[in-house]
Amino acid sequence: MPAASRWQLRDRTPQRREITYSTLFLTVWMGVGTAGYAMLEGWGLLDSLYMAFITLSTIGFTEVRELSNEGRIFTIFFASIGIGSLAYVAARWARLLVAGTLIRNRRRMYRIKNMQNHYIICGYGRVGKDVTDMLMGAGKSLVVLDKNEDIIERLTANGINAISGDATQDSALLSVGIKNATGLIVLLPDDAQNVYVTLVARENNPELFILARASDTVSRRRMLQAGASKVVSPVQVGAERIAQMVLRPHVDQFMSYVLQADDLGLSMEQVLIEEGAPLAGKTLREADFRQFWKTIVIAILKGDNDQDMHFYPGPDDLIEAGNILIVLGSIEMIGKLINEGCLSPHKTSSNILRKSL
């Protein structure tokens, strides 16, 4: 826990002690008032308690009964001390609640800032919402950055990491852990802002995978020049999908099955072959993917560029350390493949590097 948080916790202890003692005194004082009215006026317990309550809370209802002179003097004495004590307790409770909220927010900000290997989503519009839902459904760690405070409050209330801020500012990107993130998804409605966010993010994290949204070809080129790893146009993607459904309906149906493989108990995954992993240095025939691992290798990425993607590899193709395999199979068998075949012996599945294509 940071030093500031420890100091804040220590600082809250005297406050809680004061509130406890003052609340206890207030409770005892209510008892004194109840007993006083019962003794001086001869009232029953309920009437005496009610009179003490409306006096202490300054509600201002009519007196239960006509008070004697002794009762009025007692009321002045009782209210003078009790009302001040009640105001003090209310003020201390309000201060403690506000302090607790501030500390919780600071803890949340500290935790988000120090997240590791997470995804940052800039802009929570219609596309941002769907992307967030999909990533969370896949079990990915993420944080949403958006200017709209109402959206941030709603996401936070639903347990989603979210921070209100301007993504074009370095401070906002640093607050969501840009230096430790795996990927940044830029979905702001303005292309110029997307270009600028891409530029700022690339300066802060040269190794970051950045996916940006563009509305036209010119903006796409500028985003790539600014440092985006991939640029997507939702309009273009939608048009291509519609054309695919018309021109190649069966191909489109097959791709829909592949993209929804999780619903069928299957998974299409990308896995990195680490240095020293059991599969490193073997051919596909020697690795025996279909018989032993019960998976199909669809492609092998040999380098960092799309041009290095080798589709439909043959049985004699060599698997080398640093290669990324695109595999299709059951979720259980892919997990076994990652743990037993792709990792170096001294690592576990939590150390897997999932490199975005």
Side-chain angles (χ1 to χ4, degrees), residues 3 25 82 89 129 136 159 170 189 203 263 274-275 287-288 298 306:
F25 171 78
V89 172
K129 180 182 182 303
M136 291 191 65
D170 288 77
E203 290 179 350
D263 298 334
E274 295 191 348
E275 192 72 39
D288 198 11
I298 299 175
D306 292 345

Side-chain angles (χ1 to χ4, degrees), residues 36-37 39-43 51 63 65-76:
Y37 286 118
M39 293 174 60
L40 294 174
E41 302 297 332
W43 296 346
M51 185 64 187
E63 297 171 353
R65 300 177 190 173
E66 186 69 26
L67 287 172
S68 64
N69 290 333
E70 292 82 359
R72 290 176 180 174
I73 294 173
F74 175 77
T75 299
I76 294 173

Side-chain angles (χ1 to χ4, degrees), residues 125-195:
R126 289 177 296 178
V127 177
K129 180 182 182 303
D130 290 341
V131 172
T132 299
D133 292 342
M134 291 178 182
L135 289 179
M136 291 191 65
K140 300 300 182 182
S141 176
L142 61 86
V143 56
V144 176
L145 180 62
D146 195 281
K147 286 183 177 181
N148 192 318
E149 294 186 0
D150 293 335
I151 290 177
I152 300 304
E153 290 180 3
R154 186 172 71 251
L155 292 175
T156 302
N158 291 329
I160 300 175
N161 295 319
I163 287 183
S164 174
D166 185 354
T168 61
Q169 301 297 320
D170 288 77
S171 57
L173 291 176
L174 290 174
S175 69
V176 293
I178 189 70
K179 292 184 179 295
N180 304 320
T182 294
L184 172 70
I185 304 173
V186 189
L187 301 172
L188 300 179
D190 183 71
D191 283 353
Q193 289 183 328
N194 288 336
V195 171

